[in-house]
Amino acid sequence: MAISPPFPPYPPHPGGAPEDGVLRHAHWWQHRWVRYGALITLLTLSGLVILALVREQTGTEGFLVGLGLAVLPVPLLVAAFRWLDRVEPGPWRNLVFAFAWGACAAALIAIIANSFATRWIATATADPSSADTLGATVIAPIVEESAKAAAVLLVFLFRRRDFTGIVDGVVIAGVTATGFAFTENILYLGTAFGTDQLTGDTGIASVTAATFFVRVIMSPFAHPLFTVLTGIGFGVAALSGDRQHLRRVLVPLCGLLLAMGMHALWNGSSSFGEFGFFAVYAAFMVPAFGLLTWLVVWTRQRELRTVREELPAYTAAGWLTPAEPFALGSMRARRLAREYAGRHLGKPAAREVARYEAYATSLAFLRHRGRRGRAGADFLVRERELLNELWRRKDVARPALDHAARMTAPPVRVTAPPWPVYGVYGYGQGPAHAQGHTAGFGNPTAPVYGSPPVYGSPPVYGSPPVYGSPPGQPSYGYGHGYGYGYPAAHGPGNGPGTRYPSGPYPAPHPHQ
């Protein structure tokens, strides 16, 4: 019968035990429900105020038309950012907060600050046209990008476990900007509709059609593109060590300044002549969009590679099966595992497999940061939490991932020697997935997903003692000196191995 593995006690409180032996209670404002309540109240009030302002400026009919047209690109943009976040999906509440902040709080700040600044400049210079130009090219980029960056900063500070890299920064920033653009499009499209009602223009020649083409068809990614630069800066800061204070401050600030600069260039394109808008769009916006798309897709693939490279260390200690690192490092295998569990055990099992995949990915990223010396003080506690979550779901997830690994593993060509051999080929003494031999040694009829060329680099992960040894028992013959903090699994005579921050991985109890 499977039982939970033993875990060491949590580390003592940094300040030691309280003198009177009684835990001190947190202040009322430190409770989670108080913070959540305050945040929800703030966003709700901001939404009501922004709703009233936009409706007053556009009218009820214009507001409804603007709302119907502005909502069209939102599902596509959110789905694109969710696709980027599929490797280590963050909780929905972070995305809901980001969208609500952009659509309500950031939009309200932008409307009030931009109107006040433009009015003040017009009064001071007695030149309303110059004030409008200065407000659009200087004031608006600074105010709007700062307001949107506040959402990324809040998630970075208060949801730090969910903010681990560049992709997380891109997703939070992009969803925030999507919400902001949604509200702004309602305002612009509703105002354009009101103008058409006064002039009587309809169809393609109307101001509403032109505004819809520019803001929804040509440049729905404009605001997300600007704010993503800020998100990349915070993502780089998340990858930095705790002692790299200057880098953790300067990189997000540089990303914010770049976002402001590109936003200012985009807003000022209309003043560059008759074809200034199209020149800026073709020369800057499209290449920047392509470059950032390539960067985030490349980062996504690098995250999958990190999963394949880091999880075999836990396989060596008995926490994972040999098939899991490969399956968890492939998005297709992950999908097949969820479908397999849902088909045989129902939708709850599919959700458990999805959670298992998310926890395993977080574990791989945690170990990756630990190997680079960038793990926080709670590394051991967080590692045990993730291992515990995996262990609780292993009975449902392992068969599904094993099936997915078999379905997605590339074929391995096994050639017979030129001389007659009876029984198995080559030097294998058992199934290839148990021995871990490379280049086709072992039983040619064994499942190909277990061979080291599929799971990882043989010089690091592919030696038989890693895959073939029972948890906690020494192995002889092919051990190497890397160790992964579990030297007993690599045979005698190899030295202590490289100790990572988590120390020796405790092997789980026997399954029987």
Side-chain angles (χ1 to χ4, degrees):
M1 181 178 67
I3 57 177
S4 297
F7 294 105
Y10 286 105
H13 191 275
E19 295 179 1
D20 54 358
V22 180
L23 294 176
R24 297 186 178 92
H25 294 286
H27 296 288
W28 64 269
W29 63 81
Q30 294 177 329
H31 289 289
R32 179 179 299 180
W33 64 268
V34 174
R35 295 199 299 263
Y36 283 177
L39 184 61
I40 293 173
T41 303
L42 172 64
L43 293 177
T44 302
L45 292 177
S46 300
L48 293 175
V49 174
I50 197 72
L51 177 65
L53 291 176
V54 173
R55 182 180 174 277
E56 180 183 2
Q57 187 164 346
T58 62
T60 302
E61 190 174 357
F63 172 79
L64 295 177
V65 171
L67 176 64
L69 296 177
V71 78
L72 294 178
V74 171
L76 298 178
L77 292 172
V78 173
F81 289 115
R82 284 293 293 175
W83 178 84
L84 291 175
D85 200 33
R86 291 301 296 172
V87 177
E88 189 188 19
W92 271 102
R93 58 179 176 270
N94 290 351
L95 300 184
V96 172
F97 160 75
F99 187 87
W101 181 276
C104 300
L108 180 61
I109 293 171
I111 288 178
I112 295 175
N114 289 341
S115 300
F116 174 80
T118 303
R119 192 179 302 112
W120 180 82
I121 294 174
T123 303
T125 60
D127 189 356
S129 60
S130 299
D132 290 338
T133 302
L134 187 62
T137 57
V138 178
I139 303 300
I142 294 176
V143 172
E144 293 176 7
E145 294 307 320
S146 299
K148 290 182 288 184
V152 187
L153 177 63
L154 290 174
V155 177
F156 180 82
L157 293 177
F158 296 103
R159 304 295 300 179
R160 191 65 181 82
R161 285 186 174 182
D162 302 329
F163 203 123
T164 59
I166 293 176
V167 171
D168 295 316
V170 168
V171 171
I172 296 299
V175 174
T176 303
T178 300
F180 183 89
F182 169 67
T183 301
E184 192 177 64
N185 285 340
I186 295 175
L187 179 62
Y188 278 93
L189 290 168
T191 303
F193 180 79
T195 302
D196 289 333
Q197 283 187 317
L198 294 176
T199 60
D201 294 332
T202 58
I204 300 178
S206 65
V207 179
T208 304
T211 305
F212 178 81
F213 178 75
V214 171
R215 297 191 64 87
V216 178
I217 302 299
M218 285 190 64
S219 58
F221 57 84
H223 272 289
L225 178 63
F226 308 146
T227 314
V228 157
L229 296 173
T230 305
I232 292 175
F234 277 99
V236 174
L239 295 173
S240 305
D242 292 338
R243 297 183 179 180
Q244 296 176 315
H245 301 292
L246 189 62
R247 180 179 179 181
R248 290 165 66 91
V249 174
L250 290 181
V251 175
L253 183 60
C254 290
L256 177 60
L257 293 177
L258 286 175
M260 293 177 179
M262 182 168 285
H263 195 160
L265 180 65
W266 174 250
N267 285 1
S269 60
S270 59
S271 61
F272 295 161
E274 183 179 358
F275 300 101
F277 169 80
F278 296 99
V280 171
Y281 183 84
F284 292 96
M285 296 294 290
V286 174
F289 177 75
L291 179 62
L292 289 178
T293 301
W294 171 85
L295 175 63
V296 295
V297 172
W298 175 81
T299 303
R300 186 177 188 262
Q301 295 302 316
R302 189 183 66 173
E303 289 183 343
L304 290 172
R305 186 170 66 249
T306 298
V307 172
R308 293 192 296 268
E309 292 175 352
E310 299 294 345
L311 289 183
Y314 296 95
T315 299
W319 291 99
L320 303 176
T321 62
E324 289 181 70
F326 168 73
L328 292 167
S330 167
M331 297 306 296
R332 178 169 175 259
R334 289 186 177 201
R335 176 177 56 82
L336 289 176
R338 294 192 300 270
E339 292 176 353
Y340 180 86
R343 187 167 57 251
H344 290 83
L345 298 176
K347 291 184 179 180
R351 288 193 292 268
E352 287 297 294
V353 173
R355 294 188 185 98
Y356 188 94
E357 294 169 350
Y359 285 125
T361 305
S362 299
L363 182 64
F365 291 170
L366 180 70
R367 175 179 166 79
H368 184 70
R369 293 194 301 272
R371 289 201 304 110
R372 293 173 175 264
R374 297 172 180 173
D378 63 340
F379 180 90
L380 290 176
V381 174
R382 180 59 175 163
E383 183 186 45
R384 294 307 186 272
E385 290 177 354
L386 293 172
L387 288 172
N388 186 28
E389 296 293 343
L390 294 179
W391 194 259
R392 287 166 49 192
R393 295 171 172 84
K394 66 182 180 64
D395 293 335
V396 175
R398 284 182 178 179
L401 292 169
D402 183 75
H403 168 80
R406 290 197 303 270
M407 293 297 101
T408 57
V412 177
R413 181 181 297 275
V414 179
T415 58
W419 56 86
V421 176
Y422 299 97
V424 298
Y425 293 111
Y427 306 100
Q429 297 299 322
H433 67 272
Q435 295 296 324
H437 291 297
T438 61
F441 296 121
N443 188 347
T445 63
V448 296
Y449 64 86
S451 58
V454 177
Y455 291 136
S457 174
V460 180
Y461 304 121
S463 59
V466 176
Y467 289 140
S469 300
Q473 296 184 10
S475 178
Y476 301 93
Y478 296 99
H480 52 69
Y482 287 89
Y484 297 110
Y486 194 75
H490 301 286
N494 289 319
T498 302
R499 298 277 183 164
Y500 292 142
S502 61
Y505 292 103
H509 278 301
H511 291 193
Q512 301 297 331

